Amino acid sequence: MNPNMSRRQLMRHTAWFGAAVGFAVVGGEVISHVAGAGATGQHAQARPTLRFAQISDSHIGFTGAPNPDVSATFGHAIGRVNNLGYTPDFVVHTGDLTHLSSPDQFDQVKQMMSALKTPHVFTVPGEHDSVDDAGQKYRNAFGAGSVGDGWYSFDIAGVHVIALVNTLNLRKLGHLGTDQLNFVEKDVARLSSDTPIIVFSHIPLFAMYPDWGWGTDDAGRALSYLRRFSSVTCLNGHVHQLFSKTEGKVTFYSGTATAYPLPRPGDGPAPKPVTLPAGRLRDALGIREVSYTRGETALALKEQALQ
C-alpha cells in the first residue's frame, strides 16, 4: 500500500441484487441512468479525474452449493475490472478475501489480484480473514504500509481515503477500538472541511441490521470526526448485496460479493449463503466502479453484475 498518493469526491446508489444502475450528482441533484448509458450534457464530455473499482467478499476457499467455484467468479470479477475500457487509478477489495484465512488462500488471492490492470490495489480485512490469529496472516500478505492492526489512509486527486479495520475484537457487531478511533481523529484534523472523504471498511459503519451483526458498535465516534466535512462516502462489503443509507452529509454504500449472495436483512434466522436457481448466480454477484471529475459536483457510481 502506498499512503503517499493524492485523490477526490463521491457517489449515490440504492438497489438490491445485481442492479446495473448508475447515479450522478449534478448540482446537488441525484440523476440516475442505466449503466453504460452514461450521463448527458457537459458531464458526459468531462474526463474523470479519479476512477476506481470496488471488489468484495471473494471468500477464496469456500466450497458449497451457493457457489461451487468461487475462484472462477473472482477471476471473472477481475476480468470485468480489466475490461472497463480504462485503467482504474486503484482497485479496493473490501474484505473477506479468503474464507478460512489459510496461507494458501491468501497466496491464491494475492496471485489472482496481481492480474488486475491498475497501478494500486488496496484491501481491508473481513472477519473471515482473521479467524484464528487476529489478522496476522492477512497483515503478512496485505498489510504493507498500514499501521496498528491494518488501518491506513492516503490522499489522491484531492480526495482523502481512510481504510478501517472493524473485524477484530468482535462483540457480535463490528468494532474499531480506541487506537483506531484516535488514528481517525488525528488523521483528519489537518484537512479542510471541503475535502471529500471516502472510507473503506468491511462491516457497515451504520446499523444496517444489528441482529445479524451488520453494524459497528463504536462507529458513531469515528463518524463524529467526519461530520464537519461536506462530502463523506463510506463503502463496505460483508452483507453481499447492494444497499445505501444517508445520514446527514454521510452516505453509506454496501457492495455485492464475488462469491455468493446473502439474504436480505430479516429474511430467515441468520445470514447464510443463498443458493440461487441455475444460471442466476452471476446476476447476484458484481463489482462497482466509481468516478470523479475535478471542478464539477459530478460523481458517478456504477454497479456491474458478473453475468
Side-chain angles (χ1 to χ4, degrees), residues 125-190:
E127 77 280 6
H128 283 265
D129 299 317
S130 54
V131 295
D132 60 357
D133 66 349
Q136 186 59 54
K137 289 191 292 293
Y138 163 82
R139 291 190 294 276
N140 289 343
F142 294 100
S146 65
V147 297
D149 286 327
W151 52 85
Y152 56 95
S153 67
F154 60 91
D155 297 290
I156 187 161
V159 171
H160 188 67
V161 180
I162 307 170
L164 300 179
V165 177
N166 56 359
T167 54
L168 304 179
N169 304 309
L170 297 179
R171 303 176 181 90
K172 186 174 182 179
L173 294 174
H175 185 72
L176 295 167
T178 301
D179 289 348
Q180 191 167 194
L181 291 167
N182 290 340
F183 165 80
V184 174
E185 181 180 21
K186 295 175 182 177
D187 182 61
V188 302
R190 64 181 173 82

Side-chain angles (χ1 to χ4, degrees), residues 175-234:
H175 185 72
L176 295 167
T178 301
D179 289 348
Q180 191 167 194
L181 291 167
N182 290 340
F183 165 80
V184 174
E185 181 180 21
K186 295 175 182 177
D187 182 61
V188 302
R190 64 181 173 82
L191 302 174
S192 65
S193 58
D194 62 351
T195 304
I197 306 292
I198 299 176
V199 182
F200 300 137
S201 67
H202 180 64
I203 298 174
L205 294 175
F206 66 100
M208 181 173 175
Y209 199 68
D211 285 351
W212 284 356
W214 290 3
T216 300
D217 58 13
D218 52 356
R221 183 177 156 193
L223 295 171
S224 72
Y225 304 135
L226 305 179
R227 296 197 186 281
R228 70 179 176 89
F229 294 94
S230 57
S231 183
V232 179
T233 298
C234 301

